[in-house]
Amino acid sequence: MSSFPKPDGLYKWADERLGLSDVVAIAAHKQVPQHKHSFWYYWGGISLLCFIVQLLTGVLLLVYYRPGKEAYESVRQITYDVDFGWLIRSAHSWSANLMVFGVFVHMFSVYFMKAYKKPREFGWWTGLGLLGLVMLFGFSGYLLPMDELSYFATKVGLQLPSMLPGVSTIVNNVVRGGPSVGENTVQRFFALHVVVLPLLFMPLLAFHLLLVQKHGNALPPGEEKRPLAQRRSVPFFPNFFAMDLAMWLIALNVITILATLFPWDLGQPANPLASAPVGIHPEWYFMSQFQLLKGMGLVLPGMAGEIAGMGLFTIVLIFWALIPLFDSETVAGKRGRIATWTGYSVVAATLALTIWGYAAL
Ligand code: HEM
């Protein structure tokens, strides 16, 4: 009995065994810079909160969701029969969208603050890996209800890769599991969505956060020029952490308000024999890529346009991924300016293509 901790000695007892005070000391020692762009430091945390919401609501959805033949019926039950099922489904869908939005804001703010520069290159690359996984989470989750919209959007999304030499066999046999989207596809997307992607995402996220912990937050270029005596910062714990929590509270409110006031819709069950409804389109975060292919198709008819569009997208993506190697000067120079203007062009092109995509529906 003597080795059992008393309540007031519980922290000391756990600390002696787990080294908690070392973690608290690191957090209290870590400083977060304060300047007029500090607001952008919260977006990584907001993305993290959304991921936690996805895990919690996703596990609850798993209690009733049944992939395969009964996919639509099980989502209908969750939405209309199960107590608060509609709310959990709605929160999962809205939080997924907020997460994609948060990750994009985070990526562009990190880009314009030039936080990809030495020694943070791996922060940038692991981040890009996370973004790719987040997009795959969205794409695979979209099909799971198997309603009209999700069925046809997935069919369109897989059409082009299923025709490309080199990847067509993988897309047809492994991803789609047959010549057309069906039960096999739902089963595979389900395995991807709830097992494969989380297993890849979590260790990558842990590594990403470890790197942030190691290097701390980068200073944006304007602030770096300031003399040391004029720079301001606050301890991560408790000051910045408290602000992070406040941001989480705001984000949770946004998700709750959206989920209750605009409950996520469930369309008619997918009917593969019916013709695609007019205006079928992908989720908003795939719209710019979709419109790029459509736009190139206007200039170069047939497959040539789509292949040219994919080529252009791949070139920009490679440049984007290699930006830490291209813009590596410590003193801002020509390459730094090229990187900044490329960033502005990518933001402008993404917004313009997305707006054009919706206008053309
Ligand atoms: C689910 C996806 C992601 C999560 C949960 C996440 C989380 C975080 C968190 C909590 C931070 C520290 C606070 C901050 O600076 O915002 C951070 C920093 C960072 N993230 Fe992410 N991130 C994600 C995706 C990305 C993406 C897509 C990129 C870029 C391609 C990226 C690149 C970085 C970099 C370079 C830093 C260091 C920023 C600095 O030093 O100021 N992250 N991330």
Side-chain angles (χ1 to χ4, degrees):
M1 279 306 277
S2 61
S3 63
F4 199 77
K6 294 189 182 72
D8 56 346
L10 202 59
Y11 178 77
K12 190 167 168 276
W13 182 86
D15 185 27
E16 280 168 1
R17 284 152 185 87
L18 300 171
L20 298 179
S21 44
D22 296 342
V23 181
V24 174
I26 292 172
H29 184 71
K30 188 184 157 188
Q31 293 284 319
V32 180
Q34 286 293 294
H35 45 76
K36 60 176 189 258
H37 303 297
S38 296
F39 170 70
W40 303 109
Y41 289 144
Y42 296 112
W43 286 86
I46 293 173
S47 314
L48 184 60
L49 167 83
C50 293
F51 182 63
I52 297 170
V53 172
Q54 289 311 94
L55 281 184
L56 297 177
T57 50
V59 169
L60 289 177
L61 289 173
L62 266 183
V63 176
Y64 288 100
Y65 180 76
R66 299 186 295 280
K69 241 192 199 65
E70 291 187 72
Y72 180 85
E73 173 53 21
S74 66
V75 178
R76 195 205 57 72
Q77 260 172 12
I78 292 172
T79 315
Y80 298 110
D81 300 344
V82 176
D83 287 342
F84 297 108
W86 65 273
L87 184 61
I88 300 298
R89 176 171 172 243
S90 201
H92 193 75
S93 307
W94 277 113
S95 166
N97 280 277
L98 186 65
M99 181 169 176
V100 179
F101 179 74
V103 173
F104 269 110
V105 173
H106 176 52
M107 178 182 73
F108 284 117
S109 57
V110 158
Y111 185 92
F112 289 116
M113 286 204 223
K114 296 193 181 284
Y116 48 73
K117 283 193 178 185
K118 186 184 169 192
R120 295 184 176 77
E121 294 93 329
F122 282 94
W124 178 253
W125 291 323
T126 49
L128 279 186
L130 290 171
L131 173 71
L133 293 175
V134 167
M135 303 284 271
L136 283 177
F137 264 119
F139 187 65
S140 54
Y142 198 54
L143 177 69
L144 299 184
M146 264 307 244
D147 66 1
E148 231 177 10
L149 190 64
S150 69
Y151 169 80
F152 282 106
T154 308
K155 197 174 155 183
V156 174
L158 290 180
Q159 216 152 31
L160 182 66
S162 73
M163 289 190 291
L164 287 181
V167 288
S168 62
T169 327
I170 299 179
V171 173
N172 292 339
N173 298 346
V174 183
V175 181
R176 199 164 53 197
S180 58
V181 173
E183 276 164 43
N184 280 348
T185 328
V186 178
Q187 192 72 38
R188 277 150 210 241
F189 275 35
F190 177 67
L192 193 70
H193 195 76
V194 306
V195 181
V196 180
L197 292 177
L199 278 181
L200 294 173
F201 192 87
M202 284 194 265
L204 196 61
L205 178 61
F207 186 45
H208 188 72
L209 297 181
L210 191 82
L211 290 172
V212 178
Q213 203 53 45
K214 181 168 166 56
H215 298 302
N217 283 94
L219 279 175
E223 290 297 315
E224 250 181 353
K225 287 188 207 125
R226 247 181 234 281
L228 275 179
Q230 284 179 20
R231 291 185 196 168
R232 286 185 309 122
S233 64
V234 290
F236 175 77
F237 192 83
N239 305 44
F240 190 78
F241 184 68
M243 282 303 288
D244 250 342
L245 287 185
M247 290 293 171
W248 280 27
L249 209 58
I250 295 174
L252 270 179
N253 274 288
V254 170
I255 295 169
T256 314
I257 290 170
L258 288 171
T260 37
L261 294 187
F262 307 98
W264 208 256
D265 200 22
L266 178 66
Q268 293 300 312
N271 176 4
L273 300 177
S275 51
V278 272
I280 205 80
H281 62 88
E283 288 274 73
W284 60 268
Y285 42 88
F286 287 116
M287 189 55 119
S288 57
Q289 298 95 302
F290 177 70
Q291 192 57 29
L292 177 68
L293 301 192
K294 259 174 80 179
M296 292 300 275
L298 297 176
V299 190
L300 298 167
M303 279 290 280
E306 293 186 337
I307 291 178
M310 286 193 61
L312 183 62
F313 180 71
T314 310
I315 292 170
V316 176
L317 195 65
I318 291 174
F319 182 74
W320 200 249
L322 297 183
I323 198 71
L325 305 181
F326 175 79
D327 179 17
S328 56
E329 305 150 335
T330 34
V331 182
K334 194 170 161 219
R335 284 182 171 220
R337 284 194 296 278
I338 295 178
T340 306
W341 281 101
T342 306
Y344 292 148
S345 316
V346 169
V347 174
T350 308
L351 289 177
L353 283 166
T354 306
I355 294 169
W356 183 20
Y358 278 101
L361 284 180

